Every structure is written in C-alpha cells, then in structure tokens.
Amino acid sequence: SSKSMRTDRNTYVGNRFVHVKNPHLDSMDEDILYHLDLGTKTHNLPAMFGDVKFVCVGGSPNRMKAFALFIHKELDLEGNEEAIQDICAGSDRYCMFKTGAVLSISHGMGIPSISIMLHELIKLLYHAKCCDVTIIRIGTSGGIGIEPGSVVITDTAVDSFFKPQFEQIILDTVVTRSTELDKELAQELFNCSKEIPGFPTLIGHTMCTYDFYEGQGRLDGALCSFSNEKKLDYLQRAYEAGIRNIEMESTVFAAMCGLCGLRAAVVCVTLLNRLECDQINLPHEVLLEYQQRPQHLISIFIKKHLGQH
Ligand code: R2B
Ligand code: URA
C-alpha cells in the first residue's frame, strides 16, 4: 500500500495492509469465501478479524484447535476456553479459531488444499482491513540428515528440482513465482529458539513436493519404480543443496504470502530422518510432543511481539 515505506527487500515500516492482486475483486458486490463459510454480506469481517496480527496455519484441524487453546493460555487472554469455537463450523473443509490477535487455521494436506485456503484467508484479511500481519505455517516434515524431533525454520522453499520457485498453472500457461521467505523473520524465530532447551532448531531449505510417497522418494508407497540407491542418491543431493526437510505446502505458501504483503515463515518439526527410513514409527506420545515444538517456539515469538516476554 502507499502508506508503507520500503526500507529493504523484506522489511516494511508502518502500516502495511494485506493486499490482493486482483482487479476484479473491487467490482464485486459480494465476496463469498465458500470454503470458510464466510462472506462480506453475511459477516462483518472488519469487526470479526480487524485486530488480527498473527496467523498460524497447519495441516490438521485438531492440532490447530490445540494451538489456539495453547496460545490462549500462554497469552493469559480473557474469556474461557469454551468461547474458542470453530469460526468455519459451517464448512467441513477447514477450521478456524481466534484468540486475541491470533488466528489459527487448518489447511489440509498438499499444495491444492493450502492454496484454496490461502486465497480465501488473504481475501478475508484484506476485507477485514488487517495490517502488519505475520503468517506462520507450523507443520510436520521429513528430515534429511538431521535428528528426528529437530525443528527446521525455512529460509527458502524449493521444489522437487531444488529450485526456489513455484509453478502455478494459470489457464494453459505455467507462471513461475518466487518462493523467497522473510529472512529477518526466520532469524528472529531462530533467536527465540535459543530460549527453549530440549530440542535442536536450525535454519535450512525446505523441499515441497506434490506427493508423500513417490514424490518424496519413499520406497513404501503403493507404487515405486526406483531403487534404494536412487532414493538415497536423490536425498543426498538434496542435503548437499542445503535442504534439511521435506513437506508439501511451503512453496505455494511462500509464493502467495509474498505477493500479498504478508510476512511469512515456515516452521516444521521433523518426524524421521529420511536417510534412515521411510516409515514414521514414533510412539503416539512422542509424536504429540514433537508436534508441540513448533507451537512452543511460535508462542515465544508472539509473546515477545506483544510485549509479554
Ligand atoms: C507434512 O505432513 C503432511 C503429510 O504427512 C503434509 O501436509 C505435510 O506438508
Ligand atoms: N510430512 C511429510 O510431508 N513428509 C514426511 O516425511 C513427514 C511428514
């Protein structure tokens, strides 16, 4: 927006509104955010969401509800937990919880699922006139050459060819978009991690794929046409290219948030070391504890920003 002042590539000072890059939107009399079960005529979006400063997204609905309850407790917010209800209850696709300035939303698995949610979420933040919003994906991933349970903060999201780009097919053309993330935000999150003992956190590249099995070089899918040697050669080359984890949403997340003026970060825990295995065989309690690690880190970051730390 014209009110924001650009100081360098990734830093803006002042009021930075979330923006959309679609000339058709302003001429629409009503905008229905179908998969969120919200709309500009049915809901007062500025009143409901105008104060949002932190948006956290993650794959699973239950985990994002748990995150909202956790943040509510950590921030010592008013009102009881029962008041935190799914804002998108009318839709079966995604769930959304709000506590104070923090919005927590699920995005399902994979690029198509998160991209539909992001189109509607970004329009929601735009209609609500939100400014200075930071968005963080907290998720799970497969690690490469690092200890399971490590948390990876993404500096660059790359595709299956290790390229820092996302290819969106629009009509019948391929449009290539940058997947660069906010380096300062990544560093700030890394600094917060130093306050949490008990698990390693590192900054590295994250590879985003279209599939969990063949697309991530797994030998245990319903289909597999390559050898263990080919798998290890690919993952080793990924490691050498600076990739430390693999997941399924980061490239489109980085591309869309970057284009719409959202300061964005990706923070994922690794559930296994892909140089050692393909299957996730962690006990349930260990899995739950690992999934809390990115949440813990983000809560420290948010508390710092709200002056509560
Ligand atoms: C991480 O975990 C999911 C697959 O198990 C996927 O959504 C991702 O990015
Ligand atoms: N999520 C992924 O996408 N890959 C893994 O290996 C684990 C979680």
Side-chain angles (χ1 to χ4, degrees):
S1 82
S2 58
K3 280 187 188 161
S4 68
M5 193 173 74
R6 203 165 186 150
T7 54
D8 68 48
R9 261 186 86 69
N10 291 310
T11 315
Y12 293 79
V13 178
N15 263 347
R16 189 161 67 110
F17 287 98
V18 176
H19 46 265
V20 289
K21 291 196 161 172
N22 176 0
H24 304 288
L25 274 185
D26 284 339
S27 59
M28 281 164 48
D29 161 56
E30 178 178 15
D31 188 9
I32 295 168
L33 309 175
Y34 169 65
H35 303 87
L36 302 180
D37 194 37
L38 293 168
T40 51
K41 284 214 169 146
T42 45
H43 299 80
N44 183 346
L45 300 177
M48 290 173 74
F49 300 103
D51 63 341
V52 169
K53 295 294 175 204
F54 303 95
V55 178
C56 297
V57 304
S60 128
N62 281 329
R63 183 153 45 79
M64 296 322 287
K65 175 162 194 187
F67 175 73
L69 294 173
F70 173 66
I71 277 292
H72 179 80
K73 200 153 63 176
E74 287 292 305
L75 297 182
D76 242 332
L77 290 165
E78 283 165 32
N80 63 20
E81 292 197 342
E82 285 75 65
I84 303 176
Q85 292 292 331
D86 183 2
I87 299 166
C88 303
S91 154
D92 260 350
R93 302 296 183 182
Y94 306 105
C95 70
M96 178 188 285
F97 304 90
K98 183 176 182 298
T99 181
V102 183
L103 200 60
S104 177
I105 310 155
S106 69
H107 59 57
M109 286 191 286
I111 287 171
S113 181
I114 195 175
S115 99
I116 294 165
M117 190 282 280
L118 287 174
H119 275 286
E120 295 180 11
L121 170 67
I122 293 167
K123 291 196 295 173
L124 166 75
L125 299 171
Y126 165 75
H127 291 309
K129 302 188 165 52
C130 293
C131 65
D132 297 324
V133 176
T134 297
I135 182 165
I136 303 174
R137 161 166 148 71
I138 49 175
T140 58
S141 62
I144 307 182
I146 58 176
E147 192 190 322
S150 303
V151 170
V152 179
I153 300 167
T154 307
D155 57 3
T156 310
V158 301
D159 65 13
S160 297
F161 304 95
F162 313 158
K163 287 201 186 124
Q165 62 180 40
F166 173 66
E167 292 186 337
Q168 173 73 54
I169 298 171
I170 301 175
L171 307 185
D172 51 2
T173 52
V174 179
V175 174
T176 303
R177 291 174 172 162
S178 160
T179 53
E180 221 182 299
L181 288 157
D182 191 313
K183 297 269 188 306
E184 235 174 69
L185 175 59
Q187 188 60 48
E188 208 185 310
L189 286 162
F190 183 68
N191 293 342
C192 291
S193 77
K194 293 173 189 162
E195 297 181 23
I196 318 173
F199 60 86
T201 301
L202 53 117
I203 294 182
H205 299 347
T206 295
M207 177 160 73
C208 178
T209 68
Y210 283 96
D211 173 48
F212 183 84
Y213 289 98
E214 292 176 286
Q216 295 187 5
R218 279 187 159 81
L219 302 171
D220 62 341
L223 302 172
C224 184
S225 53
F226 49 84
S227 64
N228 187 41
E229 290 65 43
K230 285 267 186 241
K231 163 199 159 178
L232 289 176
D233 171 69
Y234 179 66
L235 294 177
Q236 197 60 49
R237 283 188 286 118
Y239 184 88
E240 281 154 22
I243 297 165
R244 293 295 175 270
N245 65 340
I246 315 176
E247 47 77 272
M248 300 179 60
E249 294 86 13
S250 59
T251 51
V252 73
F253 173 80
M256 290 182 72
C257 296
L259 285 169
C260 295
L262 288 155
R263 228 160 72 102
V266 177
V267 179
C268 291
V269 70
T270 60
L271 303 181
L272 74 176
N273 177 0
R274 291 300 318 288
L275 297 180
E276 272 159 17
C277 57
D278 291 339
Q279 298 223 314
I280 298 161
N281 58 3
L282 300 167
H284 188 67
E285 323 75 79
V286 177
L287 191 59
L288 286 183
E289 194 271 314
Y290 281 6
Q291 293 187 11
Q292 281 162 4
R293 292 177 175 189
Q295 303 188 17
H296 191 177
L297 177 56
I298 277 27
S299 79
I300 292 179
F301 170 83
I302 293 176
K303 275 197 251 177
K304 272 213 162 101
H305 275 264
L306 297 176
Q308 293 187 7
H309 195 80

